[in-house]
Amino acid sequence: MELLILLLLIPIVRGLIFFFDWRYLVKVCDKHSLYLKGVGDSATDEAKEISGKASDWITEHTTEIKRRVEKSGINNPVHSFMDAKGYGYVGQEQMSTLDNLLYLNQNIQSSAVTVLKRSRGHFRNEAIKSINPLFWLETLFFLPKAIVSASGIDASSKLADTGLKVTQIIYWLVILGAVVANPDLLKVLIETIKT
């Protein structure tokens, strides 16, 4: 019974972690939207005041915003531009979107909105996946791949990819061998799930 509680606790904890990340990015998107509404020339004094408070909040939480977006796996776009250096010379400069959430440039702001919404969507989808039994069956079926993915090991090289595929095949053969060698194991597993 304790094993079943532990197995149920894993999806719940995973879902809660992603839910709280999603809620945080919802708040970030709302604050960013409030900031943008109050920076125009036609904005009311109330909107400008709210924009100022949202700007302060975003400035205080920039590090956490960047951490959460990075956790989602969404890239922080870097924009290049030419800047006058004087005496007729220009130099190429770069600025990242998340470091400049308050910079009033249409390209930067469009990129910021896209990055924040993609990150928010990622966490919402992961929270929903946590309560989906098919996700957990797929994870169990491809357990070696899930372990490598969760560990953060880069498996993009040919050798690592081949090693992962060989490990996956060995994993399937071990499970198949265990079920064929001991058919009662499958019955015990089914009875455990039923109770």
Side-chain angles (χ1 to χ4, degrees), residues 81-171:
F81 62 95
M82 301 305 280
D83 190 27
K85 298 294 183 187
Y87 300 109
Y89 292 100
V90 293
Q92 185 175 1
E93 300 288 332
Q94 294 182 335
M95 71 171 52
S96 74
T97 298
L98 295 178
D99 284 329
N100 295 286
L101 285 172
L102 303 177
Y103 182 64
L104 294 176
N105 175 290
Q106 185 175 1
N107 291 336
I108 297 289
Q109 290 306 318
S110 174
S111 179
V113 168
T114 302
V115 166
L116 292 174
K117 285 184 177 180
R118 283 182 182 170
S119 299
R120 182 181 69 187
H122 167 77
F123 289 123
R124 184 188 54 144
N125 292 336
E126 290 297 319
I128 291 170
K129 270 202 263 183
S130 295
I131 58 173
N132 184 350
L134 292 177
F135 167 76
W136 291 104
L137 285 175
E138 180 184 355
T139 301
L140 188 61
F141 193 70
F142 294 103
L143 190 61
K145 183 178 177 182
I147 291 171
V148 168
S149 176
S151 69
I153 297 172
D154 183 26
S156 60
S157 71
K158 285 271 192 194
L159 181 63
D161 187 47
T162 303
L164 181 59
K165 288 178 181 176
V166 168
T167 304
Q168 185 67 54
I169 291 170
I170 292 170
Y171 170 74

Side-chain angles (χ1 to χ4, degrees), residues 45-71:
D45 289 337
E46 182 183 354
K48 288 180 181 181
E49 184 180 333
I50 292 171
S51 176
K53 289 179 182 177
S55 169
D56 291 341
W57 188 91
I58 290 170
T59 302
E60 290 174 3
H61 292 89
T62 298
T63 305
E64 182 62 17
I65 293 168
K66 286 170 56 178
R67 186 187 74 77
R68 302 262 178 133
V69 170
E70 185 178 302
K71 181 180 173 184

